[in-house]
Amino acid sequence: MAVDYAVIVIYLAGMLAMGWWGMRRAKSKSEFLVAGRRLGPGMYSGTMAAIVLGGASTIGGVGLGYQYGLSGAWMVFTIGLGLLALSIFFSARIARLKVYTVSEMLDLRYGGGRAGIISGVVMWAYTLMLAVTSTIAYATIFDVIFDMDRALSIILGGTIVVAYSTLGGMWSITLTDMVQFVVKTIGVLLLLLPIAVVKAGGFSEMKAQLPTEYFDPLGIGGETIFTYVLIYTFGMLIGQDIWQRVFTARSDKVARYGGTAAGTYCLVYALAGAVIGTAAKVLYPDLAHADDAFATIVRDELPMGVRGLVLAAALAAVMSTSSGALIACATVANNDIWSRLRGAVSREKDGETHDEVRGNRLFILIMGIAVVCIAIALNNVVEALTVAYNLLVGGLLVPILGGLLWKRGTVHGALASVTVGGLAVVGLMAWYGILANEPVYYGLLLSLAAYVVVSLATRPTDAAVLAAWRERLAGRGAEAEPEPESVPTPG
């Protein structure tokens, strides 16, 4: 295991070094929060794929393959479909807005700022719980690597992510995500996938050993697939963590084509995870927990050195999602909630750039400490993630997509939609249970009804607000952002 330990330690040290490098280049709010909006297609697609394919997609995707066979790919597959839909239909318009948060987009579209703080609170809760669930996953990985205590594992992994995120903001996160993307591609797709299939005797032996439903594309169940689409596909369209990556694109074409490449990569990754899990079922038919399949096959079947790289790939998957959710959570907390509560003007002024960076850096540190503490106290990852996505989809999907697609939508309709959808989801989760499907189904329908009815019952959005909105969608009207001369333009 000495070689494996060395690989992991070198990887973790590299993440911290990237944080230090990013700190030297994040000199403005734009550089710190959205990497100066200057990422080219290669770096953009790699970092976008890295953030959406986290621990749930890697460890959880293999676990679903172990439990259901090839149809276990559907969870990660729907994530890829959501990213494809976002990139093809919406990303160009989102990138041209030149904003920092989803709530700023709602303010531009509906006017008045009233929708911003409520949507900010909902988005903050979602990104916080997403960061927490990603951080909890460190316990599983470090337990396999170092046989480490759960709390200590969370503190170690969380501290490294908080450190490089706080130091360099989105620049550090972008650089580390590119490394993580490469490590995941090599570790999971090029090494673990073929080794797992060969160890299981090839596809013919897998088919001979397992029931036929393991090779049924719909074996996981139609209702489960529909729920995945509703939560993950639609969740990809509106999450702050995803939009903040769209804001980093150098142009709307980069956002569209780079995101499409990342979405396609997710589809391949989904199938790979399911195949690895299916192979693990042949090798270890009686595991107590399906989510143990990834760690077990890595520990028992991979040679020294390769094992360390694949474990680094799992760690990379968790870190990329964790850091992306953390900076999204801090951005929303500072720019959408704290700034509004204290009545601050949410634009950069001459001579205050350093204070903007320092303020956002402080919020990443505060949110990071909170995430680590909550992760230590919380046990049920699935319930926490379900609550996060139910709130996101039930409360924010309708007003966000309505604002992009329906000009008759009003600020009152948006506020009603967020309030009714959010409260309905919370109440229905208390009634049906957190893991039930009904809360997001009915919550989304009630949110849509409230949006349409209240929008039609109230005065249309002011013509001047809509005109300004159309200008921003066309890429005009946004304030120019200074670009430090020392920062190169990535490809």
Side-chain angles (χ1 to χ4, degrees):
M1 288 292 287
V3 175
D4 298 325
Y5 292 157
V7 171
I8 299 296
V9 170
I10 291 170
Y11 169 76
L12 294 176
M15 296 301 98
L16 292 175
M18 293 291 183
W20 181 260
W21 189 93
M23 182 181 69
R24 298 170 56 197
R25 284 153 175 79
K27 302 298 184 182
S28 70
K29 179 181 179 180
S30 173
E31 296 288 343
F32 191 81
L33 293 182
V34 290
R37 308 187 195 277
R38 60 175 69 230
L39 298 191
M43 187 168 282
Y44 177 86
S45 59
T47 58
M48 182 62 86
I51 188 177
V52 300
L53 296 174
S57 300
T58 304
I59 299 171
V62 172
L64 287 171
Y66 183 88
Q67 189 172 359
Y68 298 104
L70 298 186
S71 68
W74 272 106
M75 184 187 76
V76 184
F77 201 83
T78 55
I79 290 173
L81 292 178
L83 186 52
L84 285 172
L86 174 70
S87 302
I88 294 169
F89 299 112
F90 300 108
S91 63
R93 282 181 283 179
I94 293 170
R96 289 195 293 263
L97 289 174
K98 303 295 185 185
V99 296
Y100 292 101
T101 67
V102 173
S103 295
E104 286 181 40
M105 167 264 168
L106 292 173
D107 284 347
L108 281 172
R109 167 59 181 82
Y110 296 110
R114 285 172 288 180
I117 193 166
I118 296 177
S119 63
V121 170
V122 175
M123 189 64 76
W124 174 78
Y126 157 73
T127 53
L128 178 70
M129 295 313 298
L130 184 61
V132 167
T133 55
S134 300
T135 303
I136 291 174
Y138 296 131
T140 301
I141 299 170
F142 282 116
D143 178 58
V144 175
I145 300 171
F146 302 118
D147 192 22
M148 189 178 291
D149 174 74
R150 178 182 182 275
L152 188 59
S153 298
I154 291 171
I155 292 171
L156 175 59
T159 298
I160 293 170
V161 169
V162 172
Y164 73 68
S165 301
T166 302
L167 286 172
M170 187 59 82
W171 267 120
S172 294
I173 292 171
T174 297
L175 293 168
T176 54
D177 277 359
M178 275 306 298
V179 175
Q180 290 158 357
F181 170 74
V182 172
V183 170
K184 279 190 287 190
T185 301
I186 296 173
V188 176
L189 297 186
L190 302 184
L191 292 176
L192 182 58
L193 174 61
I195 290 173
V197 173
V198 169
K199 292 284 187 177
F203 285 103
S204 58
E205 183 65 20
M206 290 162 63
K207 287 183 178 180
Q209 293 286 334
L210 297 173
T212 55
E213 55 262 30
Y214 264 71
F215 302 92
D216 179 358
L218 303 179
I220 199 171
E223 183 178 355
T224 299
I225 296 171
F226 178 73
T227 302
Y228 284 159
V229 170
L230 202 59
I231 293 178
Y232 296 115
T233 301
F234 286 127
M236 287 295 107
L237 299 180
I238 58 175
Q240 169 68 25
D241 52 325
I242 309 302
W243 277 40
Q244 199 156 341
R245 295 310 174 98
V246 176
F247 300 151
T248 66
R250 185 169 62 202
S251 67
D252 54 2
K253 288 184 179 180
V254 169
R256 179 182 290 117
Y257 297 119
T260 300
T264 304
Y265 178 90
C266 291
L267 304 184
V268 175
Y269 200 88
L271 184 58
V275 171
I276 293 168
T278 305
K281 184 66 175 178
V282 173
L283 295 168
Y284 312 100
D286 301 316
L287 291 179
H289 303 287
D291 283 344
D292 292 337
F294 180 89
T296 303
I297 196 170
V298 169
R299 183 189 63 218
D300 294 349
E301 302 298 336
L302 299 185
M304 183 174 59
V306 173
R307 180 169 53 230
L309 184 59
V310 173
L311 288 173
L315 196 57
V318 175
M319 283 188 163
S320 57
T321 300
S322 180
S323 59
L326 177 59
I327 194 172
C329 177
T331 302
V332 171
N334 187 21
N335 294 272
D336 291 336
I337 300 175
W338 175 245
S339 292
R340 296 169 193 267
L341 290 177
R342 66 184 175 88
V345 178
S346 59
R347 65 174 183 272
E348 294 185 19
K349 296 181 180 179
D350 292 341
E352 293 187 2
T353 303
H354 179 69
D355 288 340
E356 288 277 8
V357 173
R358 184 166 53 192
N360 283 290
R361 185 173 279 140
L362 177 62
F363 265 85
I364 290 180
L365 179 60
I366 293 171
M367 291 297 106
I369 293 172
V371 163
V372 170
C373 293
I374 295 170
I376 292 172
L378 197 64
N379 287 318
N380 198 316
V381 180
V382 176
E383 289 191 359
L385 195 61
T386 301
V387 170
Y389 272 100
N390 282 354
L391 280 173
L392 178 71
V393 174
L396 292 180
L397 178 67
V398 170
I400 292 172
L401 293 189
L404 290 169
L405 299 173
W406 190 41
K407 67 178 182 180
R408 185 61 181 83
T410 68
V411 64
H412 301 290
L415 287 170
S417 179
V418 174
T419 304
V420 171
L423 291 176
V425 164
V426 172
L428 290 168
M429 282 191 294
W431 179 264
Y432 286 102
I434 289 176
L435 298 180
N437 293 327
E438 288 84 358
V440 71
Y441 294 166
Y442 299 144
L444 190 56
L445 289 174
L446 290 171
S447 177
L448 177 61
Y451 182 71
V452 172
V453 170
V454 175
S455 291
L456 293 176
T458 53
R459 293 179 60 183
T461 303
D462 187 85
V465 172
L466 287 178
W469 167 252
R470 286 191 291 269
E471 285 291 296
R472 292 293 286 268
L473 281 179
R476 301 183 295 269
E479 295 182 5
E481 294 169 333
E483 297 185 359
E485 295 179 359
S486 61
V487 181
T489 301

